[in-house]
Structures are given as C-alpha cells and as structure tokens.
Amino acid sequence: MGESLRAQERSRLTVLLVVMVATLAAAAGAAVGQSDSGDEAAQPVEVESSIPAWRDLDRAQTDLELALGVRDSVQVAMNRTVDELHLELARLDQLLDTDTGKQLLMDEAERLVVQEYISGGDVEDVVLILGVSEATDALWRKALLSEVSELVDQALNAVDDVPGERERTEARIGRLNDAIPYLSSRLFDAEQSVEAAEWVVYIAEINDMADRERVQNGFIEPTERHWYNLRFCESTNNYTAESANGLFYGAYQFEPRTWRTVGGVGNPAHAPPEEQDARARLLYARRGDQPWPRDYCGRWLPAN
C-alpha cells in the first residue's frame, strides 16, 4: 500500500474527539454556622460561579448531542476497522497461493483502474496500491485520453509480485489489529461521556421544571447565597447528613415522602449534590419556603 494511502488509513482510524460533557464543580464557600440557640453567628461567604450545564437545559442537550456524535463516529470507525480486518485476512488466504494470488491481483488491478479512470482520480494512489512505483502523473493524463484497456495493461504489470503483496497485506493486518484495542478504549470513553451527558440532561430537566413552576407560582428566585445559608442551617452543608431521629436526610433535610413528591427515589442523602439541589429548587418552586419553617432555617430563603 502506498504511503499516501497508509497515512489516510492511519488518520481515519486514530482521529477521535474526546468531549468532556460537563465539569461537575459544586460551589464552595468558607462558612461559619448557627449557635446552639439558633441565632446567627455569621453568614457564609457567597461564592460566585458560572452557571453549570445541569442548570441550562439547552446547553445540556447540546452537550449530549455532541457526545452521541462522538460515540457514533468511534463506533463507525470500529465497525469499519473490523470489516477491513476480515477482508484483509480473506485476501491473505488467497495470496498464500501464488497462482490464486496472481489472479486476485489481476482482478483488483482491473477494478481499481477502471474505477479511478471513471472517477478521474489520481493514478499515483492506484499504482502505489499495485506496486507500480514508476507510474507518473503524465501517465495518468495520457491514460485519460486512451482506452481503458491501455491503463489496465499498465496496472497488470504489478501482479507478478505476489510475495511482496502478501507482506504488505500482513502489515495492514498488523496495523488493523493494533487499532482495535485502541478504538475499544476510545469507544468505552465515549460511552462514559454519553452516560455523563444523559445524567446532566436529567438534572437539567428537573431544574428547568423548577424554573417554569416557580414563575407560574410567583415565587422569588433564591440566590446561591440563600441556598447555601439554608443548607448550612439544615445540615451544615452536608449532603450526606441524616438526622439523629432518622426522619430527615441530605443537605436540605428532606423527609422521604417529601423527596418522593418531587420525583426523588431512595434515600435523599445518597443522591448526588446536584440532584438534591435540583429537587430542593423544585420543592421551593411548588411550595415556597413552607417546607422549611421561617422561624428556623426557612428564614434564609426570600420572603414571598
């Protein structure tokens, strides 16, 4: 195989895009909490951060589409590589016998030359595949003005080198074999990216629902500082917190039945922070500060 086609093959097999769908970075802040009496000791420091993908449904869906595109591209490359490997292995079997190999090369020469003649391709690629290194662009220009059979005659001169073509085929098989584990690794990474993107969309859909219902119900949008203060009051901002009496869970101290009313499943304290945040926003969008009494932690939320 010619160097130009080898380079194309290598590029086709190895060019992969790695998409990082979402960077999960929870806002953090230095904080001090409540005294035993419930009086304010000091307010936590507000930390400004850009809006993450799980708060922006359009962005999350775009990221998912990109991740799916990368996954599909890698899968196509894998399928094509496996198919090419099977073809090369079958070809090698034919090249093991000189007479069979010669007939194979003759058939391939005629097909390739006719195809290139019709498409107006570059004869250099064709003759490099066939091993005819002495062919030139001038030969190709001349062939375009000649009968197809004349170009076929030139190409058929390459069929006598069956052993050389057998070595080149074995080399291609080696490269394809080497590409498969690499592509398998990239495909695994792409699948992981798709799963991460799907999760981000899942959380973004909860936040989008919360945004729409909050507007419908006329509640004031809490700031990140409001939410941080609420979490600190409820659980010292501990997303895995469980109350001593076993009734309340997570950063927002959800009751299990309340958690279920906003679509939660299982123990709230076992849910990722982003999911707890989203479901707390949805709960507020539907009921305001009512789930968090204003004479205690609810005072940290806006007064509607």
Side-chain angles (χ1 to χ4, degrees):
M1 179 178 287
E3 291 301 325
S4 62
L5 285 187
R6 289 175 183 155
Q8 291 172 18
E9 179 186 59
R10 186 178 303 112
S11 175
R12 185 174 68 248
L13 294 176
T14 59
V15 174
L16 300 171
L17 302 176
V18 178
V19 174
M20 299 306 294
V21 177
T23 303
L24 306 180
V32 290
Q34 306 295 318
S35 65
D36 291 340
S37 64
D39 295 330
E40 178 183 357
Q43 292 194 22
V45 176
E46 181 179 3
V47 177
E48 297 294 339
S49 62
S50 59
I51 297 176
W54 56 85
R55 289 287 301 274
D56 185 338
L57 183 57
D58 289 340
R59 174 183 163 192
Q61 290 173 334
T62 298
D63 288 344
L64 176 57
E65 291 174 3
L66 289 173
L68 289 169
V70 172
R71 191 273 311 277
D72 292 346
S73 296
V74 178
Q75 185 65 67
V76 167
M78 171 64 84
N79 294 343
R80 185 170 56 238
T81 301
V82 172
D83 289 344
E84 290 180 358
L85 177 59
H86 290 160
L87 290 172
E88 293 293 345
L89 289 171
R91 190 170 186 270
L92 181 61
D93 286 341
Q94 292 180 275
L95 291 170
L96 293 176
D97 178 79
T98 301
D99 291 337
T100 304
K102 185 172 182 178
Q103 184 60 53
L104 170 68
L105 294 177
M106 290 177 66
D107 294 341
E108 289 180 347
E110 185 168 355
R111 287 197 304 271
L112 286 170
V113 171
V114 171
Q115 178 182 345
E116 290 297 311
Y117 180 85
I118 293 173
S119 65
D122 189 348
V123 74
E124 183 179 0
D125 284 342
V126 177
V127 295
L128 282 173
I129 290 174
L130 301 173
V132 187
S133 59
E134 63 271 19
T136 64
D137 289 338
L139 172 63
W140 178 242
R141 288 193 296 271
K142 178 181 178 182
L144 289 175
L145 301 176
S146 304
E147 296 294 332
V148 172
S149 59
E150 293 181 14
L151 190 53
V152 171
D153 289 340
Q154 294 289 335
L156 292 179
N157 292 330
V159 303
D160 292 328
D161 187 19
V162 173
E165 185 58 29
R166 185 161 56 241
E167 291 181 3
R168 289 187 287 272
T169 301
E170 290 172 344
R172 287 195 294 272
I173 289 172
R175 290 196 296 274
L176 291 168
N177 271 323
D178 290 341
I180 287 175
Y182 174 79
L183 287 170
S184 294
S185 175
R186 299 287 71 78
L187 186 58
F188 175 81
D189 292 342
E191 291 285 4
Q192 295 295 104
S193 293
V194 168
E195 290 182 10
E198 289 174 338
W199 180 84
V200 172
V201 169
Y202 172 68
I203 299 301
E205 288 174 339
I206 302 171
N207 279 306
D208 183 69
M209 186 185 304
D211 290 334
R212 288 184 284 107
E213 294 193 22
R214 179 186 56 76
V215 172
Q216 290 172 1
N217 292 327
F219 294 131
I220 299 171
E221 169 73 356
T223 65
E224 290 303 315
R225 181 169 183 167
H226 286 131
W227 288 117
Y228 188 95
N229 287 342
L230 174 65
R231 291 195 303 270
F232 195 89
C233 177
E234 290 285 354
S235 65
T236 64
N237 201 37
N238 179 4
Y239 283 88
T240 63
E242 298 188 13
S243 65
N245 60 12
L247 297 178
F248 305 100
Y249 302 87
Y252 299 90
Q253 291 293 278
F254 276 98
E255 289 182 300
R257 64 179 180 179
T258 304
W259 176 252
R260 290 191 294 271
T261 66
V262 288
V265 176
N267 186 334
H270 297 167
E274 296 78 17
E275 182 176 359
Q276 292 188 43
D277 291 345
R279 298 201 186 282
R281 293 186 73 242
L282 182 56
L283 180 61
Y284 174 85
R286 292 174 175 176
R287 299 169 58 188
D289 59 17
Q290 187 272 331
W292 301 279
R294 293 205 65 81
D295 59 356
Y296 188 51
C297 292
R299 71 184 186 276
W300 293 110
L301 292 171
N304 291 288

